[in-house]
Amino acid sequence: MLDQVPYLPYVLSAFIGIGLAAASGFRVFLPMFAVSLASYFHWIPMSESFEWLSSLPALITTGIAMIAEILAYYIPFVDHLLDTISIPMATVAGSILFASQFTELGTFPQWALALIAGGGTAATISTGFAGIRAASTAATGGLGNSVVGTTETAGAGIMAILAMAAPFIAAIFTVITLILVIFFGRKAWRKLKSKKDLSSTNT
């Protein structure tokens, strides 16, 4: 019955892509590793254009990068340093993972859609959490950053698994996550800006 639904493959591809892009907004390399692992063991199909993701070198590289990234977010100062480069990196990762689901489209529409939907989703989530981490540092002196880091890692893992196992649920979670991150992220950035303005006025 589902086979008769118009454009169902494209809808499923969009749900998978948006879920993986959201996961990239939490952590850059964890979803890349998840996709590489799943495709390496043939749990999910991988198109010819993205077969490099299912190779052993890609699996090892993304695995090492994932571990390094997760651990680095528990190191004071380094976590903020990573935030400065995580947004563009998340945008690239989100775009690549989204594009991997739309290989049947032409090159231009494939990457245009990937950059807007995949890259935009990843960048929004990454930006929001950067603001939340900065606000956490200001409020707790960095003591609460480990909680933020653990939440991001858990979010990346959950979203990556859902995207591949339950795309529809992943898409719903992505929308909810975007709403929450935009709300709390903007709130955090505003609070930081007001604190900076206050401190500059006092000096």
Side-chain angles (χ1 to χ4, degrees):
M1 184 160 179
L2 285 175
D3 293 338
Q4 298 176 358
V5 177
Y7 306 110
L8 179 63
Y10 291 104
V11 173
L12 285 175
S13 294
F15 287 165
I16 295 170
I18 208 72
L20 291 173
S24 300
F26 287 105
R27 282 286 175 269
V28 173
F29 293 106
L30 195 155
M32 296 279 284
F33 172 75
V35 171
S36 183
L37 180 68
S39 59
Y40 179 78
F41 286 105
H42 305 291
W43 297 335
I44 61 170
M46 188 57 65
S47 66
E48 192 176 331
S49 305
F50 290 88
E51 275 186 353
W52 57 272
L53 261 177
S54 59
S55 67
L56 184 59
L59 181 63
I60 294 171
T61 303
T62 55
I64 293 171
M66 174 192 68
I67 293 169
E69 181 185 22
I70 291 171
L71 293 178
Y73 271 101
Y74 290 101
I75 304 173
F77 177 73
V78 176
D79 55 350
H80 290 292
L81 187 63
L82 282 175
D83 277 339
T84 61
I85 60 172
S86 67
I87 297 170
M89 287 177 67
T91 304
V92 172
S95 299
I96 290 172
L97 291 176
F98 192 95
S100 70
Q101 303 303 311
F102 283 92
T103 53
E104 292 180 8
L105 293 177
T107 303
F108 178 75
Q110 175 194 19
W111 286 102
L113 187 62
L115 187 61
I116 295 167
T121 297
T124 300
I125 293 175
S126 184
T127 302
F129 268 97
I132 292 169
R133 189 184 338 276
S136 170
T137 300
T140 67
L143 295 176
N145 289 13
S146 60
V147 177
V148 178
T150 302
T151 302
E152 288 174 307
T153 301
I158 292 168
M159 287 302 301
I161 293 169
L162 281 177
M164 293 182 284
F168 180 69
I169 297 174
I172 294 173
F173 272 36
T174 298
V175 173
I176 294 171
T177 301
L178 282 170
I179 292 170
L180 291 175
V181 165
I182 290 171
F183 176 77
F184 288 108
R186 286 180 66 182
K187 201 173 179 180
W189 282 116
R190 275 201 223 102
K191 193 175 286 187
L192 274 173
K193 190 176 182 300
S194 63
K195 278 192 175 183
K196 284 181 180 177
D197 292 342
L198 187 64
S199 60
S200 62
T201 304
N202 291 336
T203 52

